[in-house]
Structure formats: C-alpha cells, structure tokens
Amino acid sequence: MFIPFSIMGCSLELLKSGDCGIVTVCQSQDETIRKKLILMGIKTGNTITVEQQFPTFVIKCGDLSMTIDREIARAIYVRVIEG
C-alpha cells in the first residue's frame, strides 16, 4: 500500500518554478560558493521563491531577483512552504 508523503525540506535545486521555501542551512565545502552566498545575502531564515528553474535558476530573495547556478542552488537547503 502506498502512503502519500511530502518533502518538508530539500535542496533548492529540487524546487520547481513558483515553489517557495525558508533557508534552513547553506552548506558547501567550496569556499568560493560560501563567499558567493554571503555576498548575495542568502542566509538562514530568508524566504526564497524559485521564479525560473531552466535554463538557469532565477530566485527571488526579499525584493531582489537574482540568477544562480546549479552548484549554488545545490548548496542552499530550504524548508518548503506549502501553498
């Protein structure tokens, strides 16, 4: 028997256009990616909306829209906001 479930948290890379989440952690071993996240102002507690997923990620964080690459999207973990 199949029991439905929902993803409560995941990498930003897995969200689709229009999905929204609250940043829970920014995690990367790559120092360059960590510095980029800091410079973009992405930190724990921020709300991020995915505006476009392909061919590049376009996200909205606060009033600011920005383009990020998949490596950066993979480093951002969010708690998905339903609805």
Side-chain angles (χ1 to χ4, degrees), residues 1-67:
M1 174 179 222
F2 178 73
I3 300 171
F5 65 94
S6 64
I7 297 173
M8 298 307 292
C10 64
S11 169
L12 188 65
E13 179 185 31
L14 300 177
L15 271 59
K16 296 182 176 83
S17 296
D19 287 348
C20 187
I22 298 172
V23 178
T24 56
V25 68
C26 296
Q27 187 173 12
S28 177
Q29 298 298 322
D30 188 341
E31 186 66 28
T32 305
I33 291 175
R34 286 199 308 243
K35 286 180 181 179
K36 284 181 182 180
L37 290 168
I38 291 168
L39 289 172
M40 289 187 290
I42 296 174
K43 58 186 177 192
T44 303
N46 286 6
T47 300
I48 294 180
T49 303
V50 177
E51 294 183 328
Q52 176 183 310
Q53 187 186 30
F54 185 81
T56 58
F57 267 88
V58 178
I59 61 170
K60 186 171 187 175
C61 185
D63 293 331
L64 184 64
S65 288
M66 57 188 98
T67 302

